[in-house]
Amino acid sequence: MSKFPAARRGAAAAFAALAIAALAACSAGDPGMQRVSRMSPPPTDCRAWVGTDRDAEIPGYLLPQASGGTVCVPFLQTANKPPANYTGNDYNVDEFTDARLKARWAACKADAACFKRIDAQMQRWLPPNKERATRSTGVLDPSGKIDPDGLVDLKQIRRPAFFAKAPYNEAIAADEARTYTVEFTAPRDAFERIDLNMRDLIKLRGWYIEGAGVDDGKGGKLHALVVMAPGGGGQLTAIQHPDEKSYRIDPATGKTVAIRFPNATTETMGQRWWRDQLHALNQAGFDVLAYDRRGEGLSGGFSDTNTLEQGEDVFRVLAQLESGDGMRMLTPTGQLLEGPAARGRLLAGMKADTLPILLGGYSRGSMSTAWAMTRNFSESCSYDMQTPTCTPAKGWKNIKGAILLSSFASGAGYVGVSPDLADRNLFLGGMAADHHIVFYPNSAPLAGMDKWPAAFFGKGLWDRAETVEGTIAAYDRIGGLKEIVVARGPHSIETWPVQDLRYLQERMVAFAKGAVTGATRIPGAKPWNDLKQLVATTPDSWEPSSAPRPKGR
């Protein structure tokens, strides 16, 4: 994802959180356990430099290493701290609701300087997004280039076999014979309908990869589906050269400089890693559904930033897979099916509300996943309106949990201490109130996480999305199967060391299998009880630009 507009100025640079917790380590919690407050984390005792995408010295913990000696392991701290005299129920929920955030934006609008600063940020992010080029699929190789808003020949969309050729040689190519190219129908989002008066329908396009079934531990196979939502800028079929990097290091400053894409070898960065996650889940037996979000890549639409609407898209596509209404598919043998002919062809022949399902997402996809989980287990509220209305939860019992990678799901209370994040919550309130776009989540997903059955979190220690304290706060609310995997790296998981990527994938797949088969714990999870112990679960491996520097450099 690109660098985001940031969180509210003036927040204290502090290290503490009110995290409501069941004091479990990395196994399932006891649903009947009374909630208690997790102890305040141990104070930091060192500082260290991190590279992409922070390029700053931040606090951390001095920790022993298996190779001998000690090293300062840094992490991003939480900016917002409850006042000493705070008497509310839950600071990070109550103070960061949609209503509170919109009220703060209203106060900002009354201040000319504040309004000018935040409005400039919003104008850069209003669709079409001026921060980056969103549609690069087909720029390097014309095969796969389509008009996403037109009538598309689904045979023109790249399939897994495309990535078998050199230099790509991607594992996803092995899934060709099990892959359906799929297209769904969705309404315009609120910004397009209200601000731009667009009333036509759009199409969402991607792949459905059929699985062989998950080992149920009893000698049988359980059919289950994982719906995976990509990060910002993610494009399912975009080319990434295996030697490409997301940044270079400026020799004069030692700081990282982001490389812009598309370039001569790569259409969009991070897509190799993303496709590999889909392949790993499919190899474990899962059906896997992945499609480009509205406004990006293969999918139609003008606006790509309303994650609340993208969360609702999850239920639209599941309903269409069951009924066939509004969808088309291209089978692995090249047969085009649509409408009634597509009805029941996928979902293992089951109904959308009975097939075991996991919802997963990376970065911005974690936002839409969090909203979909909130829609199912808590309520659905139109936060993209000035005055929201709410409807009851869908209550599908077959949704077994969430996979949140580089998660934003803990909401607006857990913004990190960093100048580039200082206005994020004013931006959040302004986009929702004035432009009918919910980008970052407010505290509603966090408030309802105690109803979620299970969750897996993958997190870089200096991830700008939410602090590790926020991830712990989310984890603590989950009553069932859960795990956090952390690495010495940033928000962009594809930049992590290979061994960390491999471990994250192994743990994610183990969680997914456990969640759909009713496991009560995940064997092999690393134990921890507080923030320092969680940080200490990371191996002595670093995202390359953030590795400890020799003294004097």
Side-chain angles (χ1 to χ4, degrees):
M1 291 176 67
S2 303
K3 181 185 257 187
F4 286 127
R8 193 177 182 189
R9 298 189 187 279
F15 182 91
L18 266 185
I20 304 301
L23 285 178
C26 293
S27 59
D30 179 1
M33 182 183 295
Q34 182 179 4
R35 280 187 183 171
V36 295
S37 294
R38 187 178 288 274
M39 294 175 61
S40 295
T44 57
D45 51 16
C46 62
R47 296 182 67 86
W49 176 269
V50 299
T52 189
D53 59 358
R54 300 291 84 206
D55 284 308
E57 187 179 79
I58 59 176
Y61 291 124
L62 195 63
L63 297 172
Q65 301 303 292
S67 57
T70 59
V71 68
C72 184
V73 182
F75 61 93
L76 192 63
Q77 295 181 303
T78 301
N80 300 301
K81 181 180 180 181
N85 61 349
Y86 185 72
T87 58
N89 181 51
D90 188 331
Y91 175 79
N92 287 290
V93 170
D94 299 342
E95 299 303 317
F96 299 93
T97 62
D98 172 76
R100 295 286 177 92
L101 293 165
K102 285 174 179 172
R104 289 171 194 156
W105 166 242
C108 176
K109 286 183 72 173
D111 179 319
C114 182
F115 174 77
K116 181 179 180 180
R117 186 178 77 249
I118 306 304
D119 184 61
Q121 295 180 29
M122 293 193 294
Q123 294 302 321
R124 289 196 299 271
W125 276 81
L126 286 175
N129 194 318
K130 300 179 182 64
E131 288 287 299
R132 55 188 173 78
T134 59
R135 299 189 194 273
S136 60
T137 301
V139 170
L140 298 185
D141 185 327
S143 65
K145 186 175 180 62
I146 62 169
D147 173 8
D149 291 307
L151 179 61
V152 173
D153 178 357
L154 297 185
K155 293 181 180 180
Q156 292 183 317
I157 293 175
R158 293 171 185 158
R159 292 176 52 82
F162 174 87
F163 299 97
K165 61 185 179 183
Y168 312 123
N169 303 315
E170 293 188 29
I172 194 74
D175 303 334
E176 171 68 22
R178 300 185 296 278
T179 299
Y180 294 72
T181 303
V182 289
E183 178 188 79
F184 307 99
T185 302
R188 295 280 182 171
D189 70 12
F191 173 80
E192 293 170 328
R193 296 193 311 270
I194 298 171
D195 294 46
L196 303 180
N197 198 31
M198 293 178 169
R199 301 290 174 174
D200 57 327
L201 299 174
I202 64 169
K203 302 295 183 179
L204 308 176
R205 302 181 181 94
W207 295 338
Y208 188 110
I209 311 172
E210 284 195 302
V214 177
D215 183 355
D216 65 4
K218 303 173 184 177
K221 294 289 187 179
L222 173 70
H223 285 286
L225 168 68
V226 185
V227 183
M228 293 290 279
Q235 299 181 48
L236 178 64
T237 64
I239 291 170
Q240 180 189 328
H241 193 282
D243 297 332
E244 188 59 85
K245 305 296 182 184
S246 61
Y247 63 85
R248 63 179 178 83
I249 296 178
D250 185 330
T253 64
K255 294 184 176 182
T256 59
V257 179
I259 295 173
R260 295 188 65 84
F261 299 100
N263 62 13
T265 65
T266 294
E267 291 175 343
T268 300
M269 193 63 186
Q271 302 317 290
R272 286 178 61 87
W273 170 78
W274 182 243
R275 287 187 288 266
D276 197 49
Q277 308 318 297
L278 310 182
H279 173 68
L281 288 163
N282 183 248
Q283 286 294 104
F286 288 95
D287 286 17
V288 178
L289 171 62
Y291 54 90
D292 286 346
R293 81 182 74 256
R294 51 177 62 231
E296 296 218 49
L298 303 170
S299 293
F302 189 69
S303 172
D304 66 335
T305 46
N306 191 331
T307 62
L308 182 70
E309 189 77 52
Q310 292 158 17
E312 187 63 31
D313 284 339
V314 171
F315 296 101
R316 294 181 177 120
V317 303
L318 289 171
Q320 290 173 38
L321 283 167
E322 178 183 323
S323 69
D325 296 340
M327 79 163 293
R328 296 191 298 158
M329 68 170 69
L330 186 70
T331 71
T333 59
Q335 182 183 15
L336 180 65
L337 304 176
E338 58 183 309
R343 180 183 300 124
R345 182 65 178 260
L346 299 174
L347 297 179
M350 301 172 68
K351 291 185 175 297
D353 61 356
T354 58
L355 176 70
I357 292 174
L358 288 171
L359 304 182
Y362 168 48
S363 187
R364 195 179 305 177
S366 77
M367 303 185 208
S368 58
T369 297
W371 285 123
M373 294 291 285
T374 302
R375 172 72 180 94
N376 190 64
F377 293 103
S378 297
E379 61 182 352
S380 179
C381 299
S382 55
Y383 295 123
D384 48 7
M385 299 295 170
Q386 179 64 48
T387 304
T389 58
C390 299
T391 57
K394 291 185 74 68
W396 287 11
K397 298 185 184 303
N398 61 312
I399 295 181
K400 301 300 183 180
I403 297 170
L404 300 172
L405 306 176
S406 294
S407 171
F408 284 86
S410 67
Y414 288 102
V415 174
V417 177
S418 183
D420 70 312
L421 304 177
D423 286 331
R424 183 191 284 174
N425 287 345
L426 289 175
F427 172 89
L428 188 170
M431 289 287 276
D434 287 14
H435 300 293
H436 306 101
I437 294 174
V438 172
F439 191 12
Y440 303 108
N442 55 43
S443 63
L446 183 67
M449 281 186 187
D450 59 342
K451 301 180 181 70
W452 296 16
F456 177 87
F457 304 88
K459 170 67 57 173
L461 290 179
W462 45 95
D463 186 345
R464 69 174 181 268
E466 68 187 15
T467 62
V468 182
E469 294 168 83
T471 306
I472 292 173
Y475 168 95
D476 281 341
R477 286 165 163 79
I478 306 299
L481 199 67
K482 56 187 175 181
E483 183 173 355
I484 303 177
V485 171
V486 288
R488 299 175 187 179
H491 178 75
S492 297
I493 290 180
E494 64 268 18
T495 67
W496 294 4
V498 171
Q499 60 267 39
D500 291 277
L501 295 176
R502 187 180 304 117
Y503 180 73
L504 176 67
Q505 185 179 96
E506 290 171 354
R507 300 309 302 169
M508 176 189 72
V509 171
F511 165 83
K513 292 165 69 176
V516 299
T517 58
T520 57
R521 61 182 301 273
I522 311 170
K526 296 178 181 179
W528 58 274
N529 285 307
D530 61 25
L531 176 58
K532 185 173 183 178
Q533 290 180 13
L534 179 60
V535 171
T537 64
T538 57
D540 191 15
S541 57
W542 300 78
E543 182 282 316
S545 70
S546 304
R549 300 180 175 185
K551 291 184 178 180
R553 289 186 62 186

